Amino acid sequence: MDKDDYVNEIKKGLQDLPDIDEWMEELESHIGQAFAHYLNEGKTEKEAMMRIWHEVGSPADIIHSFKKETSVSPRGFLLFHFFCNLSLFAAGAALTIIHVWSVHPLVKAVWSGISVSVWLILGGYLLYWMFIGYQAGREFGLSGKRLVHYTVSVSMAPNVCFMLVFLFGLVPADLFQAMLTPGFVLACAVATMLFPACSRLGCYLGRRRLA
């Protein structure tokens, strides 16, 4: 099997999958570079293809592996992370309501623990947005770049809404007096603007892991 037959068989096996064109372009480029490298080493075309077959896998192996890895659709990926981020806001709102209406020592202890850990929580939250990009890059390859853009744009909706609600005073600032110092509020605003950049960095790292 020569290089063109190898690539065409993979294309045929994956043609029914969405957003496959960009991934195939990336794979063809990778195979082409490897093929040229082995020819420059003095190997014949047959020997070069045998090395590629050994390193990358047979077309059947690649098709099976790719379909298995992409069992989660791009739409499912986007919705999962949207509702995951939304659930964090829902949990925060529920905890705030419980803190206001309850005097239970456990609730007070949890609230105090959060109050002294806000910077750690913010750092972990930034890592979460980087993880979104990393997962998209690892699972979807080159097409993950566009998916990350859509996922982050949609998933940030609760963050933007909360910022507007807080800025317009629709939520009493006294509820968060122990947490929202001026410096931390500024850090949160900067972090929100960094979410897309963090996700793009994660996507880049995920694609390198895939390669």
Side-chain angles (χ1 to χ4, degrees):
M1 179 182 291
D2 62 21
K3 181 170 68 70
D4 292 336
D5 290 338
Y6 181 87
V7 172
N8 288 333
E9 188 168 339
I10 297 173
K11 281 183 178 179
K12 184 177 178 181
L14 299 177
Q15 63 184 356
D16 57 327
L17 296 180
D19 300 322
I20 197 61
D21 292 339
E22 290 179 293
W23 186 87
M24 278 304 309
E25 288 179 8
E26 187 175 11
L27 179 65
E28 285 187 68
S29 175
H30 176 72
I31 292 173
Q33 291 173 9
F35 188 74
H37 172 73
Y38 293 134
L39 291 181
N40 290 335
E41 288 184 344
K43 291 180 171 56
T44 65
E45 291 188 3
K46 183 177 180 180
E47 290 172 335
M49 282 309 302
M50 287 180 65
R51 289 291 300 272
I52 291 173
W53 191 294
H54 175 72
E55 294 179 2
V56 181
S58 69
D61 291 337
I62 294 173
I63 292 167
H64 174 75
S65 176
F66 189 86
K67 286 186 174 180
K68 182 179 179 181
E69 290 179 357
T70 56
S71 57
V72 177
S73 67
R75 179 182 175 84
F77 179 89
L78 186 152
L79 290 176
F80 172 80
H81 284 292
F82 170 73
F83 285 110
C84 184
N85 190 48
L86 185 63
S87 68
L88 293 177
F89 275 84
L95 181 60
T96 302
I97 294 172
I98 293 172
H99 169 68
V100 171
W101 293 100
S102 175
V103 293
H104 195 281
L106 179 60
V107 175
K108 300 298 181 183
V110 171
W111 189 263
S112 298
I114 293 175
S115 299
V116 298
S117 306
V118 289
W119 290 103
L120 184 62
I121 293 171
L122 180 61
Y125 196 44
L126 279 171
L127 290 176
Y128 165 71
W129 291 92
M130 185 178 294
F131 172 74
I132 292 177
Y134 177 83
Q135 189 179 26
R138 188 186 64 183
E139 294 291 337
F140 299 97
L142 187 61
S143 62
K145 293 172 62 178
R146 183 170 54 185
L147 177 61
V148 164
H149 173 73
Y150 291 145
T151 301
V152 171
S153 299
V154 172
S155 299
M156 281 180 60
N159 301 71
V160 175
C161 290
F162 178 77
M163 287 182 62
L164 293 175
V165 166
F166 183 79
L167 289 174
F168 284 102
L170 301 179
V171 174
D174 293 342
L175 292 177
F176 307 98
Q177 188 173 5
M179 303 180 188
L180 300 182
T181 62
F184 185 69
V185 171
L186 177 61
C188 287
V190 172
T192 301
M193 291 186 289
L194 288 177
F195 290 162
C198 288
S199 64
R200 287 195 296 270
L201 174 60
C203 185
Y204 170 76
L205 296 174
R207 288 177 56 205
R208 285 180 60 89
R209 177 68 179 272
L210 179 66

